[in-house]
Amino acid sequence: MPSAITSLPRNEATPITRWDWELWKRLADRGPDFGDYAIAHPEMQGPVPRGPIPSLRYTTSDNWWIYRWARNETGGNDSFYDLCKALVASDHWPAEGADFSWGDSELARCARRQPGPGNATQWRAWGTSHHLAHVMNELASPPAP
């Protein structure tokens, strides 16, 4: 995971390879435990700008999908609804949909434009919830050789 995502494009999903998972799959038969930093960079970040644009870090088997959405004409975080609509329409949205994790249920709710687009803390929590569920499912199945 990069230390910052501000250089990534807006209004589209950008894949970033999960090299940590790739390495673990190659070494799993040697017995190491799996551990990661979820959807955050391992270094502590300095001050975070107040009111970052709506964004989400979404885990799949091979990539993290980084969503950054420019604020729309209404301002605030309403463009997070559009971000979530793009996510649930994507090929990497889980087959279980909103039932996959608590975070996915919140993201699906936002895709339906139900009130409460959240804030950066909530977006991180929803992405982390999805990440943990995803990794647990991956670890429950032996890696393919």
Side-chain angles (χ1 to χ4, degrees):
M1 180 62 67
S3 59
I5 60 173
T6 55
S7 64
L8 298 176
R10 294 179 181 186
N11 299 343
E12 64 183 76
T14 304
I16 297 178
T17 303
R18 286 184 60 205
W19 294 114
D20 62 327
W21 181 246
E22 207 42 53
L23 176 64
W24 186 84
K25 289 190 300 187
R26 292 179 186 179
L27 298 176
D29 62 339
R30 297 182 185 167
D33 290 332
F34 180 79
D36 72 4
Y37 293 97
I39 59 172
H41 189 273
E43 293 178 2
M44 292 294 290
Q45 299 299 300
V48 176
R50 182 162 166 79
I53 66 169
S55 63
L56 181 71
R57 300 166 188 212
Y58 198 79
T59 307
T60 62
S61 292
D62 297 322
N63 299 301
W64 287 292
W65 287 90
I66 309 301
Y67 286 78
R68 298 180 69 238
W69 244 246
R71 296 194 192 284
N72 59 26
E73 61 280 349
T74 62
N77 293 333
D78 283 355
S79 62
F80 193 74
Y81 294 132
D82 300 325
L83 180 159
C84 290
K85 185 176 178 182
L87 170 63
V88 301
S90 73
D91 292 340
H92 48 267
W93 179 247
E96 301 87 347
D99 293 331
F100 189 75
S101 73
W102 165 74
D104 289 292
S105 68
E106 290 298 305
L107 297 168
R109 177 188 59 75
C110 288
R112 293 187 304 270
R113 298 190 75 80
Q114 291 179 330
N119 58 40
T121 301
Q122 291 168 307
W123 306 330
R124 177 67 61 97
W126 299 338
T128 299
S129 168
H130 168 80
H131 176 82
L132 294 173
H134 183 83
V135 169
M136 292 304 295
N137 282 346
E138 286 183 315
L139 293 175
S141 304

